[in-house]
Every structure is written in structure tokens, then in C-alpha cells.
């Protein structure tokens, strides 16, 4: 806990740096020896928002949260019915799923031969070129849809919530919330173009 003398020294130093045009919230953010409560106590003297609770911080935190949710949705992959059985195919970049599926698709298209792969929890088996094409198209379409949705939701947050009093609305945004207005129109337009591009690339 800060003594009054220590507090006064910090306030005096902060006032000097504030007068010099520095962002003292960023300055105090780097003070590892001060607790969050002590930092907030000093900042409150200048009527500044607590570190991590201003609009910019909240929007940035929310966008990071939504980005992680987008990545998780993409990597969860898609479910396809193959030979009458529903099979789940993850699409993780770090585990190599995205590169593997793309490579197998192009190899099967070039050779016309089945290629070995496996669904989630399944054993390795041969998939026909048509099956691999269906898988690749489904995964890429799903990935493009998720990325487009995230980008439009991010744009909605940045353009709609521009005042400090909007913070509760920013915090309430969740991945999966429906898009509306121009953001939905943009999503539909981009999604249609993405689907057309994927179809063209997948044709021999």
C-alpha cells in the first residue's frame, strides 16, 4: 500500500508527464511494482478512466475475444455425410489439417486417385477425389464464412460504438450475434464471391 508521501511523488511525476503530452495511463501500465488498485488510485486523481476499462481497451479486448472465437469455429471444421455416415473433419492450422486437406485435394485432382485421410476419431481410410473435393470445398467455404462474419462484426463494433457510454454494449457483443444492415449485406456479398472463387479453384 502506498504511503501518502509515495502517492504525492507519483502524482507530481504524473502531472509533469501529463503536461508534456504523455499518456500517463500508458506510463502507469508499465509500472510493474504498483498494484492495479494503486495505479487506479493515482489515475482517479486526474479523473482518468481505469487502465483496461476505457472504450479503446474494451473494444480491443472484445475484438481479440471474437478473433479467438472465429479461429475456434474454423478449426472445429465441418461435418460431412460420406458413404452414409456423418464424419467430422477438424480444420486446425497448427495441427496441419488445413495444409493436409488442401494437399490431398490437389493430389487427388491431379492423379484421379483416392488418397488416405481420417475423420475425427476415425481410422485412416481412402477417400475418393470427389469426396476430397467436397471436403475441401466445405472446409474452405466454412473458413471464409467465419472470417467474413468476424470482419463484419469487428467493423460493426468500431463504427457503432464510439463513446465511453457505449462500453456496456461492446461488452455484450458475442460471437454468433446476427449481423444487420450494411454489415449483413457486405457479408452476403463477400460470402457469395468467396463461394464462387472456391468453386472455380476446385474445378479441374
Amino acid at each position: 500500500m502506498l504511503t501518502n508521501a509515495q502517492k504525492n511523488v507519483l502524482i507530481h511525476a504524473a502531472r509533469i508527464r501529463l503536461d508534456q503530452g504523455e499518456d500517463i495511463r500508458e506510463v502507469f501500465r508499465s509500472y510493474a511494482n504498483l498494484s492495479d488498485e494503486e495505479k487506479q488510485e493515482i489515475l482517479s486523481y486526474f479523473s482518468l478512466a481505469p487502465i483496461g476499462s476505457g472504450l479503446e481497451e474494451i473494444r480491443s479486448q472484445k475484438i481479440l475475444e471474437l478473433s479467438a472465437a472465429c479461429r475456434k469455429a474454423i478449426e472445429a471444421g465441418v461435418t460431412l455425410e460420406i458413404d452414409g455416415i456423418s464424419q467430422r473433419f477438424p480444420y486446425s492450422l497448427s495441427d496441419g489439417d488445413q495444409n493436409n486437406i488442401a494437399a490431398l485435394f490437389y493430389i487427388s485432382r491431379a492423379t484421379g486417385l483416392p488418397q488416405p485421410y481420417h475423420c475425427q476419431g476415425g481410422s485412416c481410410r481412402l477417400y475418393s477425389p470427389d469426396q476430397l473435393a467436397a471436403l475441401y470445398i466445405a472446409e474452405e467455404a466454412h473458413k471464409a464464412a467465419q472470417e467474413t462474419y468476424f470482419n463484419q462484426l469487428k467493423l460493426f463494433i468500431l463504427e457503432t460504438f464510439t463513446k465511453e457510454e457505449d462500453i456496456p454494449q461492446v461488452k455484450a457483443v458475442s460471437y454468433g450475434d446476427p449481423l444487420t444492415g450494411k454489415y449483413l449485406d457486405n457479408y452476403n456479398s463477400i460470402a457469395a464471391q468467396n463461394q464462387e472463387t472456391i468453386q472455380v479453384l476446385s474445378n479441374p
Side-chain angles (χ1 to χ4, degrees):
M1 182 176 179
L2 293 173
T3 65
N4 286 334
Q6 291 172 323
K7 189 187 307 180
N8 289 335
V9 169
L10 287 169
I11 290 173
H12 178 69
R15 185 185 299 280
I16 292 174
R17 301 187 74 163
L18 185 63
D19 290 342
Q20 292 174 341
E22 294 188 55
D23 184 347
I24 61 173
R25 294 175 71 252
E26 289 300 318
V27 172
F28 276 97
R29 193 193 301 274
S30 66
Y31 283 10
N33 292 331
L34 294 179
S35 68
D36 289 342
E37 291 76 13
E38 290 167 340
K39 294 175 185 178
Q40 312 302 8
E41 185 178 2
I42 301 300
L43 291 174
S44 66
Y45 182 86
F46 297 94
S47 300
L48 293 174
I51 293 173
S53 65
L55 177 64
E56 289 302 317
E57 288 83 0
I58 297 301
R59 291 198 308 185
S60 296
Q61 291 168 14
K62 176 58 66 173
I63 289 169
L64 286 174
E65 172 193 318
L66 296 174
S67 177
C70 175
R71 183 172 62 255
K72 182 178 180 180
I74 291 170
E75 295 191 344
V78 299
T79 298
L80 294 182
E81 185 169 310
I82 297 178
D83 297 333
I85 301 174
S86 291
Q87 301 182 32
R88 187 77 183 178
F89 296 90
Y91 208 46
S92 170
L93 180 60
S94 59
D95 291 341
D97 299 328
Q98 295 185 25
N99 291 333
N100 290 339
I101 291 174
L104 290 173
F105 161 68
Y106 285 110
I107 291 172
S108 67
R109 188 174 72 170
T111 64
L113 298 174
Q115 299 297 316
Y117 198 59
H118 60 87
C119 63
Q120 187 175 51
S123 59
C124 192
R125 52 154 286 185
L126 290 174
Y127 290 89
S128 71
D130 286 345
Q131 290 170 338
L132 289 170
L135 173 59
Y136 178 67
I137 291 172
E139 294 282 25
E140 282 297 299
H142 177 66
K143 178 183 177 183
Q146 295 298 328
E147 290 176 338
T148 302
Y149 169 77
F150 163 69
N151 286 327
Q152 291 304 307
L153 191 59
K154 173 183 174 181
L155 191 61
F156 164 73
I157 291 172
L158 294 176
E159 292 184 344
T160 305
F161 305 122
T162 59
K163 301 177 181 178
E164 293 295 321
E165 54 263 36
D166 294 332
I167 287 176
Q169 291 96 310
V170 175
K171 290 182 176 180
V173 175
S174 297
Y175 197 81
D177 287 351
L179 298 171
T180 59
K182 68 176 183 179
Y183 307 103
L184 178 59
D185 292 340
N186 288 341
Y187 171 84
N188 288 334
S189 176
I190 295 171
Q193 183 61 55
N194 286 338
Q195 184 65 32
E196 184 177 346
T197 300
I198 292 169
Q199 290 289 350
V200 170
L201 289 174
S202 64
N203 289 330

